[in-house]
Structure formats: C-alpha cells, structure tokens
mmCIF file of all heavy atoms in Angstrom:
data_model
loop_
_atom_site.group_PDB
_atom_site.id
_atom_site.type_symbol
_atom_site.label_atom_id
_atom_site.label_comp_id
_atom_site.label_asym_id
_atom_site.label_seq_id
_atom_site.Cartn_x
_atom_site.Cartn_y
_atom_site.Cartn_z
ATOM 1 N N SER A 1 175.480 58.854 -6.342
ATOM 2 C CA SER A 1 174.852 59.609 -5.288
ATOM 3 C C SER A 1 175.107 59.018 -3.889
ATOM 4 O O SER A 1 174.849 59.593 -2.856
ATOM 5 C CB SER A 1 173.375 59.668 -5.473
ATOM 6 O OG SER A 1 172.735 58.427 -5.238
ATOM 7 N N ILE A 2 175.665 57.801 -3.863
ATOM 8 C CA ILE A 2 175.834 57.063 -2.636
ATOM 9 C C ILE A 2 177.059 57.517 -1.851
ATOM 10 O O ILE A 2 178.161 57.570 -2.386
ATOM 11 C CB ILE A 2 175.910 55.528 -2.915
ATOM 12 C CG1 ILE A 2 174.623 55.040 -3.577
ATOM 13 C CG2 ILE A 2 176.148 54.768 -1.601
ATOM 14 C CD1 ILE A 2 174.700 53.623 -4.088
ATOM 15 N N ASN A 3 176.894 57.790 -0.556
ATOM 16 C CA ASN A 3 178.006 58.160 0.307
ATOM 17 C C ASN A 3 178.405 56.987 1.224
ATOM 18 O O ASN A 3 179.571 56.892 1.670
ATOM 19 C CB ASN A 3 177.625 59.354 1.214
ATOM 20 C CG ASN A 3 177.449 60.605 0.427
ATOM 21 O OD1 ASN A 3 178.146 60.820 -0.589
ATOM 22 N ND2 ASN A 3 176.515 61.448 0.840
ATOM 23 N N VAL A 4 177.393 56.199 1.580
ATOM 24 C CA VAL A 4 177.693 55.112 2.505
ATOM 25 C C VAL A 4 176.818 53.940 2.209
ATOM 26 O O VAL A 4 175.646 54.125 1.791
ATOM 27 C CB VAL A 4 177.470 55.543 3.997
ATOM 28 C CG1 VAL A 4 176.075 56.090 4.187
ATOM 29 C CG2 VAL A 4 177.769 54.462 4.985
ATOM 30 N N MET A 5 177.332 52.750 2.390
ATOM 31 C CA MET A 5 176.569 51.550 2.255
ATOM 32 C C MET A 5 176.737 50.680 3.478
ATOM 33 O O MET A 5 177.800 50.767 4.120
ATOM 34 C CB MET A 5 176.969 50.741 0.994
ATOM 35 C CG MET A 5 176.646 51.457 -0.289
ATOM 36 S SD MET A 5 176.939 50.435 -1.764
ATOM 37 C CE MET A 5 175.569 49.275 -1.640
ATOM 38 N N GLY A 6 175.722 49.913 3.807
ATOM 39 C CA GLY A 6 175.832 49.122 4.990
ATOM 40 C C GLY A 6 174.948 47.890 4.946
ATOM 41 O O GLY A 6 174.135 47.716 4.086
ATOM 42 N N TRP A 7 175.208 47.027 5.922
ATOM 43 C CA TRP A 7 174.409 45.881 6.161
ATOM 44 C C TRP A 7 173.728 45.994 7.463
ATOM 45 O O TRP A 7 174.348 46.359 8.523
ATOM 46 C CB TRP A 7 175.273 44.588 6.150
ATOM 47 C CG TRP A 7 175.789 44.208 4.815
ATOM 48 C CD1 TRP A 7 177.066 44.483 4.316
ATOM 49 C CD2 TRP A 7 175.107 43.446 3.782
ATOM 50 N NE1 TRP A 7 177.178 43.975 3.066
ATOM 51 C CE2 TRP A 7 175.986 43.354 2.728
ATOM 52 C CE3 TRP A 7 173.823 42.921 3.726
ATOM 53 C CZ2 TRP A 7 175.647 42.704 1.546
ATOM 54 C CZ3 TRP A 7 173.507 42.265 2.561
ATOM 55 C CH2 TRP A 7 174.350 42.170 1.506
ATOM 56 N N TYR A 8 172.405 45.746 7.495
ATOM 57 C CA TYR A 8 171.632 45.712 8.692
ATOM 58 C C TYR A 8 171.017 44.371 8.821
ATOM 59 O O TYR A 8 170.971 43.596 7.857
ATOM 60 C CB TYR A 8 170.497 46.779 8.627
ATOM 61 C CG TYR A 8 170.940 48.204 8.717
ATOM 62 C CD1 TYR A 8 171.610 48.844 7.694
ATOM 63 C CD2 TYR A 8 170.650 48.937 9.882
ATOM 64 C CE1 TYR A 8 171.997 50.125 7.830
ATOM 65 C CE2 TYR A 8 171.049 50.268 10.002
ATOM 66 C CZ TYR A 8 171.736 50.825 8.959
ATOM 67 O OH TYR A 8 172.077 52.179 9.046
ATOM 68 N N ARG A 9 170.564 44.021 10.052
ATOM 69 C CA ARG A 9 169.899 42.737 10.208
ATOM 70 C C ARG A 9 168.747 42.918 11.200
ATOM 71 O O ARG A 9 168.732 43.840 12.060
ATOM 72 C CB ARG A 9 170.842 41.676 10.752
ATOM 73 C CG ARG A 9 171.391 41.841 12.092
ATOM 74 C CD ARG A 9 172.432 40.806 12.443
ATOM 75 N NE ARG A 9 172.986 40.936 13.768
ATOM 76 C CZ ARG A 9 173.968 40.251 14.212
ATOM 77 N NH1 ARG A 9 174.575 39.305 13.415
ATOM 78 N NH2 ARG A 9 174.416 40.428 15.453
ATOM 79 N N GLN A 10 167.777 42.086 10.998
ATOM 80 C CA GLN A 10 166.602 42.105 11.885
ATOM 81 C C GLN A 10 166.189 40.692 12.251
ATOM 82 O O GLN A 10 165.771 39.930 11.350
ATOM 83 C CB GLN A 10 165.411 42.812 11.220
ATOM 84 C CG GLN A 10 164.240 43.046 12.157
ATOM 85 C CD GLN A 10 163.225 44.012 11.607
ATOM 86 O OE1 GLN A 10 163.205 44.346 10.404
ATOM 87 N NE2 GLN A 10 162.381 44.580 12.475
ATOM 88 N N ALA A 11 166.398 40.369 13.505
ATOM 89 C CA ALA A 11 165.948 39.059 14.014
ATOM 90 C C ALA A 11 164.476 39.140 14.382
ATOM 91 O O ALA A 11 163.954 40.189 14.628
ATOM 92 C CB ALA A 11 166.838 38.682 15.220
ATOM 93 N N LEU A 12 163.896 37.975 14.441
ATOM 94 C CA LEU A 12 162.457 37.894 14.745
ATOM 95 C C LEU A 12 162.167 38.556 16.084
ATOM 96 O O LEU A 12 162.751 38.212 17.100
ATOM 97 C CB LEU A 12 162.058 36.439 14.775
ATOM 98 C CG LEU A 12 160.516 36.161 14.670
ATOM 99 C CD1 LEU A 12 159.971 36.679 13.313
ATOM 100 C CD2 LEU A 12 160.289 34.684 14.789
ATOM 101 N N GLY A 13 161.256 39.529 16.078
ATOM 102 C CA GLY A 13 160.809 40.174 17.259
ATOM 103 C C GLY A 13 161.697 41.307 17.765
ATOM 104 O O GLY A 13 161.415 41.917 18.764
ATOM 105 N N LEU A 14 162.781 41.518 17.038
ATOM 106 C CA LEU A 14 163.738 42.574 17.419
ATOM 107 C C LEU A 14 163.815 43.718 16.404
ATOM 108 O O LEU A 14 163.372 43.574 15.267
ATOM 109 C CB LEU A 14 165.157 41.983 17.614
ATOM 110 C CG LEU A 14 165.284 40.863 18.673
ATOM 111 C CD1 LEU A 14 166.707 40.368 18.751
ATOM 112 C CD2 LEU A 14 164.823 41.366 20.057
ATOM 113 N N GLN A 15 164.373 44.819 16.825
ATOM 114 C CA GLN A 15 164.558 45.946 15.933
ATOM 115 C C GLN A 15 165.695 45.693 14.940
ATOM 116 O O GLN A 15 166.588 44.956 15.195
ATOM 117 C CB GLN A 15 164.797 47.221 16.720
ATOM 118 C CG GLN A 15 163.617 47.734 17.511
ATOM 119 C CD GLN A 15 163.908 49.109 18.129
ATOM 120 O OE1 GLN A 15 165.005 49.448 18.383
ATOM 121 N NE2 GLN A 15 162.828 49.867 18.335
ATOM 122 N N ARG A 16 165.617 46.371 13.805
ATOM 123 C CA ARG A 16 166.666 46.302 12.828
ATOM 124 C C ARG A 16 167.894 47.005 13.374
ATOM 125 O O ARG A 16 167.780 48.042 14.036
ATOM 126 C CB ARG A 16 166.266 46.957 11.545
ATOM 127 C CG ARG A 16 167.128 46.713 10.352
ATOM 128 C CD ARG A 16 166.545 47.257 9.046
ATOM 129 N NE ARG A 16 165.328 46.554 8.714
ATOM 130 C CZ ARG A 16 164.651 46.731 7.559
ATOM 131 N NH1 ARG A 16 165.178 47.544 6.641
ATOM 132 N NH2 ARG A 16 163.544 46.099 7.316
ATOM 133 N N GLU A 17 169.086 46.337 13.224
ATOM 134 C CA GLU A 17 170.272 46.900 13.747
ATOM 135 C C GLU A 17 171.393 46.951 12.699
ATOM 136 O O GLU A 17 171.400 46.107 11.771
ATOM 137 C CB GLU A 17 170.796 46.085 14.950
ATOM 138 C CG GLU A 17 171.190 44.640 14.627
ATOM 139 C CD GLU A 17 171.759 43.904 15.799
ATOM 140 O OE1 GLU A 17 171.913 44.462 16.890
ATOM 141 O OE2 GLU A 17 172.113 42.724 15.618
ATOM 142 N N LEU A 18 172.291 47.969 12.852
ATOM 143 C CA LEU A 18 173.409 48.041 11.931
ATOM 144 C C LEU A 18 174.393 46.947 12.239
ATOM 145 O O LEU A 18 174.779 46.749 13.486
ATOM 146 C CB LEU A 18 174.057 49.405 12.121
ATOM 147 C CG LEU A 18 175.336 49.644 11.278
ATOM 148 C CD1 LEU A 18 175.016 49.624 9.802
ATOM 149 C CD2 LEU A 18 176.032 50.945 11.694
ATOM 150 N N VAL A 19 174.885 46.277 11.222
ATOM 151 C CA VAL A 19 175.915 45.211 11.339
ATOM 152 C C VAL A 19 177.273 45.830 10.990
ATOM 153 O O VAL A 19 178.233 45.718 11.722
ATOM 154 C CB VAL A 19 175.615 44.060 10.473
ATOM 155 C CG1 VAL A 19 176.750 43.030 10.496
ATOM 156 C CG2 VAL A 19 174.310 43.419 10.897
ATOM 157 N N ALA A 20 177.336 46.449 9.783
ATOM 158 C CA ALA A 20 178.578 47.035 9.320
ATOM 159 C C ALA A 20 178.306 48.067 8.267
ATOM 160 O O ALA A 20 177.266 47.976 7.585
ATOM 161 C CB ALA A 20 179.499 45.919 8.758
ATOM 162 N N ALA A 21 179.198 49.027 8.143
ATOM 163 C CA ALA A 21 179.037 50.112 7.166
ATOM 164 C C ALA A 21 180.376 50.389 6.474
ATOM 165 O O ALA A 21 181.438 50.224 7.121
ATOM 166 C CB ALA A 21 178.467 51.323 7.770
ATOM 167 N N ILE A 22 180.314 50.806 5.218
ATOM 168 C CA ILE A 22 181.519 51.211 4.526
ATOM 169 C C ILE A 22 181.188 52.548 3.804
ATOM 170 O O ILE A 22 180.209 52.719 3.169
ATOM 171 C CB ILE A 22 181.957 50.114 3.535
ATOM 172 C CG1 ILE A 22 183.282 50.505 2.873
ATOM 173 C CG2 ILE A 22 180.896 49.827 2.480
ATOM 174 C CD1 ILE A 22 183.975 49.309 2.193
ATOM 175 N N PHE A 23 182.144 53.502 4.037
ATOM 176 C CA PHE A 23 181.946 54.846 3.521
ATOM 177 C C PHE A 23 182.637 55.037 2.199
ATOM 178 O O PHE A 23 183.490 54.208 1.801
ATOM 179 C CB PHE A 23 182.393 55.834 4.551
ATOM 180 C CG PHE A 23 181.585 55.782 5.820
ATOM 181 C CD1 PHE A 23 181.939 54.873 6.803
ATOM 182 C CD2 PHE A 23 180.525 56.625 5.997
ATOM 183 C CE1 PHE A 23 181.148 54.777 7.982
ATOM 184 C CE2 PHE A 23 179.755 56.572 7.136
ATOM 185 C CZ PHE A 23 180.087 55.668 8.134
ATOM 186 N N SER A 24 182.299 56.068 1.524
ATOM 187 C CA SER A 24 182.828 56.325 0.156
ATOM 188 C C SER A 24 184.351 56.415 0.169
ATOM 189 O O SER A 24 185.036 56.040 -0.826
ATOM 190 C CB SER A 24 182.266 57.601 -0.442
ATOM 191 O OG SER A 24 182.459 58.705 0.383
ATOM 192 N N GLY A 25 184.955 56.871 1.290
ATOM 193 C CA GLY A 25 186.394 56.938 1.359
ATOM 194 C C GLY A 25 187.050 55.632 1.701
ATOM 195 O O GLY A 25 188.282 55.504 1.728
ATOM 196 N N GLY A 26 186.224 54.625 1.990
ATOM 197 C CA GLY A 26 186.752 53.282 2.343
ATOM 198 C C GLY A 26 186.751 52.928 3.771
ATOM 199 O O GLY A 26 187.041 51.771 4.115
ATOM 200 N N SER A 27 186.513 53.862 4.661
ATOM 201 C CA SER A 27 186.502 53.527 6.084
ATOM 202 C C SER A 27 185.307 52.630 6.404
ATOM 203 O O SER A 27 184.258 52.677 5.694
ATOM 204 C CB SER A 27 186.479 54.800 6.940
ATOM 205 O OG SER A 27 185.342 55.553 6.685
ATOM 206 N N THR A 28 185.457 51.852 7.489
ATOM 207 C CA THR A 28 184.401 50.935 7.814
ATOM 208 C C THR A 28 184.120 51.026 9.384
ATOM 209 O O THR A 28 184.949 51.512 10.127
ATOM 210 C CB THR A 28 184.838 49.468 7.537
ATOM 211 O OG1 THR A 28 186.048 49.202 8.207
ATOM 212 C CG2 THR A 28 185.053 49.306 6.025
ATOM 213 N N ASN A 29 182.952 50.607 9.711
ATOM 214 C CA ASN A 29 182.706 50.362 11.138
ATOM 215 C C ASN A 29 181.802 49.138 11.291
ATOM 216 O O ASN A 29 181.098 48.737 10.377
ATOM 217 C CB ASN A 29 182.091 51.599 11.863
ATOM 218 C CG ASN A 29 180.812 52.059 11.337
ATOM 219 O OD1 ASN A 29 180.001 51.232 10.883
ATOM 220 N ND2 ASN A 29 180.546 53.342 11.412
ATOM 221 N N TYR A 30 181.851 48.570 12.470
ATOM 222 C CA TYR A 30 181.209 47.325 12.739
ATOM 223 C C TYR A 30 180.450 47.392 14.118
ATOM 224 O O TYR A 30 180.926 48.058 15.009
ATOM 225 C CB TYR A 30 182.166 46.144 12.830
ATOM 226 C CG TYR A 30 182.897 45.890 11.539
ATOM 227 C CD1 TYR A 30 184.069 46.519 11.200
ATOM 228 C CD2 TYR A 30 182.345 44.959 10.598
ATOM 229 C CE1 TYR A 30 184.722 46.267 10.024
ATOM 230 C CE2 TYR A 30 183.002 44.692 9.413
ATOM 231 C CZ TYR A 30 184.189 45.399 9.142
ATOM 232 O OH TYR A 30 184.837 45.105 7.951
ATOM 233 N N ALA A 31 179.385 46.624 14.215
ATOM 234 C CA ALA A 31 178.762 46.436 15.473
ATOM 235 C C ALA A 31 179.770 45.592 16.369
ATOM 236 O O ALA A 31 180.445 44.720 15.858
ATOM 237 C CB ALA A 31 177.444 45.694 15.350
#
C-alpha cells in the first residue's frame, strides 16, 4: 500500500521537518 517513504527529524523546540523521501518509482528528494 506504500507509495512513498521518508525520513523526518525533529530537533528540540522545533517543528518536525522532512529530511528525505523516496517514491515507489525510485525518485528521491532532499531538504
């Protein structure tokens, strides 16, 4: 069922942010 997977991070006192993502076709994007 998964189309995309990614890594997020949250530093103390900050909002969670996207670090990197990989899509089912293999494409990627990065912060």
Side-chain angles (χ1 to χ4, degrees):
S1 71
I2 298 172
N3 293 327
V4 57
M5 294 187 73
W7 289 98
Y8 287 73
R9 67 186 180 187
Q10 187 167 18
L12 196 62
L14 300 179
Q15 289 188 333
R16 192 172 297 189
E17 62 175 359
L18 176 67
V19 176
I22 185 164
F23 296 85
S24 55
S27 60
T28 59
N29 62 32
Y30 296 90

